[in-house]
Amino acid sequence: MRVLGIETSCDETGIALVDTEGDSTPTLLAQALHSQVEMHADYGGVVPELASRDHIRRVLPLTREVLQSAGADLASIDVVAYTRGPGLAGALLVGAGVACALAAALGKPALGIHHLEGHLLSPFLSADPPTFPFVALLVSGGHTQLLEVTDVGAYALLGDTIDDAAGEAFDKSAKLLGLGYPGGPALARLAEFGDRTAYALPRPLLQRDSLDFSFAGLKTAVRTHALKLEGANCEQPRADLAASTQEAIVDVLVRKTMAALQRTSCSRLVVAGGVGANTVLRARLRSECEKRQARVYFPELALCTDNGAMIALAAAMRLQRGIAALSSDYAFDVLPRWPLTAEPLAARAA
Ligand code: KG4
Ligand code: ZN
């Protein structure tokens, strides 16, 4: 079965084609991606209206590119999957509209997929995929969650952020340090030259017996230090502040994740979402898991940030398990705010 995946939830247009045979792990036939980073950089962040318009421009040429590199044609597509939420409403509507129109024209079903489900299943496309059950650390621009995952669609929330997401903490701190958008990778690059112990930054909720996160206080502390550095020739202190900020975020993420493994007696960890590309976070999670005889699984680096492959994959894995509510009337909606553990996702999985 061939599934086309269309991702347009934020600032990346991602298209991919996956193939499934029986119940073996789906394989990626081809994928294409267009990042809008350059377009939004001038504005210091994503401009939703520009994002939607750019998705409109990219989605069909990228679909053609994917079909061509897979040596496939439109008629060979069995299901058209798209990101139904969460994300920017206008951006989501582009992918949903094109997916449903394409499915209708082909006489094939369409399937709306949860963006975060795509992220957390994305390591199944790597050479060394995980097996269920596992704990998932989902760290993206808008979400920071710990989940106990027993199967596709079976997600129990262990911890969530009560304010900013980890990616947001990276992005906002980077902005305060005068770094461009997207802030996460820029802050990580500057941090390479800094001393991570130079600034004592807050690590909220660490002492509590809770798996929830809070990063708003960190942002305030970074702002206070960053203001003191403004104007002067402060290259080294800026790098030190970047390194200390990254250290505070990574420290909290790693400690809470280890507590989640212990609480669930789980020995497998999956890390997904854009912040999962952070090399310091990866190294720290690896070494902490090694100490506990646990295994950590990451998506391929290229699949850490938004992409179409994870949407096609999540759709294919749902179809294999018979838990996909296929739409053949092509009426669609999008869910800009859609908790992974809430209806209608849970209802569909029932
Ligand atoms: O998953 P993603 O591509 O988009 C969302 O669904 O949000 O995640 C984007 C987030 C941004 O906050 C970005 O700054 C962060 O991931 N990010 C990183 C790195 N690469 C991307 N944060 C820290 N270090 C990185 N290397
Ligand atoms: Zn994402």
Side-chain angles (χ1 to χ4, degrees):
M1 175 177 285
R2 286 189 172 180
V3 183
L4 184 76
I6 300 181
E7 154 64 35
T8 63
S9 68
C10 189
D11 57 352
E12 254 122 17
T13 318
I15 310 288
L17 189 64
V18 303
D19 199 14
T20 57
E21 257 179 52
D23 56 6
S24 58
T25 309
T27 49
L28 179 61
L29 298 180
Q31 67 159 330
L33 187 80
H34 176 78
S35 169
Q36 302 177 354
V37 159
E38 265 179 42
M39 185 180 77
H40 297 295
D42 290 346
Y43 304 90
V46 178
V47 183
E49 178 64 21
L50 294 184
S52 312
R53 291 185 198 186
D54 199 60
H55 286 308
I56 292 172
R57 277 193 290 272
R58 309 288 173 182
V59 71
L60 289 179
L62 287 175
T63 302
R64 272 191 213 105
E65 191 183 320
V66 163
L67 291 174
Q68 201 172 16
S69 59
D73 56 12
L74 280 172
S76 71
I77 297 171
D78 297 299
V79 174
V80 184
Y82 61 94
T83 306
R84 190 179 179 204
L88 302 170
L92 289 165
L93 278 167
V94 176
V98 170
C100 289
L102 185 57
L106 295 171
K108 301 286 169 60
L111 176 58
I113 289 294
H114 197 292
H115 179 82
L116 296 180
E117 179 170 65
H119 272 304
L120 80 84
L121 296 177
S122 58
F124 282 92
L125 284 175
S126 61
D128 177 27
T131 51
F132 296 105
F134 54 77
V135 165
L137 171 66
L138 214 53
V139 270
S140 68
H143 295 84
T144 301
Q145 295 186 334
L146 279 163
L147 298 145
E148 187 175 14
V149 178
T150 40
D151 201 345
V152 178
Y155 312 125
L157 189 65
L158 301 169
D160 204 347
T161 180
I162 59 170
D163 42 52
D164 291 352
E168 232 173 326
F170 267 106
D171 293 338
K172 288 178 177 172
S173 303
K175 209 168 193 172
L176 291 166
L177 282 162
L179 300 169
Y181 153 87
L187 189 138
R189 276 194 300 275
L190 181 59
E192 281 176 37
F193 306 101
D195 171 5
R196 63 192 163 94
T197 63
Y199 291 88
L201 296 172
R203 285 143 167 82
L205 305 187
L206 211 49
Q207 310 316 329
R208 296 218 203 126
D209 186 26
S210 151
L211 296 177
D212 287 336
F213 302 90
S214 166
F215 291 108
L218 173 66
K219 178 187 61 195
T220 310
V222 172
R223 177 180 289 121
T224 309
H225 291 298
L227 280 173
K228 288 183 197 153
L229 299 180
E230 257 176 27
N233 181 12
C234 291
E235 265 322 293
Q236 192 55 49
R238 276 178 77 243
D240 291 344
L241 185 52
S244 303
T245 305
Q246 176 172 259
E247 180 65 17
I249 299 170
V250 167
D251 192 23
V252 173
L253 291 176
V254 171
R255 290 215 242 165
K256 296 267 177 186
T257 304
M258 293 307 125
L261 284 177
Q262 192 165 12
R263 189 177 294 184
T264 55
S265 306
C266 211
S267 59
R268 279 182 293 272
L269 170 69
V270 157
V271 184
V275 181
N278 185 277
T279 47
V280 174
L281 176 66
R282 283 181 170 234
R284 198 75 56 81
L285 286 171
R286 270 213 178 91
S287 75
E288 288 301 318
C289 279
E290 222 165 80
K291 283 185 206 160
R292 291 164 175 79
Q293 264 114 49
R295 281 207 58 189
V296 57
Y297 300 84
F298 298 98
E300 306 286 340
L301 259 185
L303 298 184
C304 271
T305 46
D306 294 349
N307 62 84
M310 67 185 197
I311 301 306
L313 169 80
M317 291 181 79
R318 280 192 163 258
L319 289 161
Q320 285 177 317
R321 285 161 176 78
I323 55 167
L326 293 168
S327 152
S328 46
D329 63 0
Y330 311 114
F332 63 90
D333 60 357
V334 294
L335 301 169
R337 292 176 175 275
W338 185 13
L340 184 57
T341 45
E343 306 283 340
L345 196 82
R348 287 167 165 208

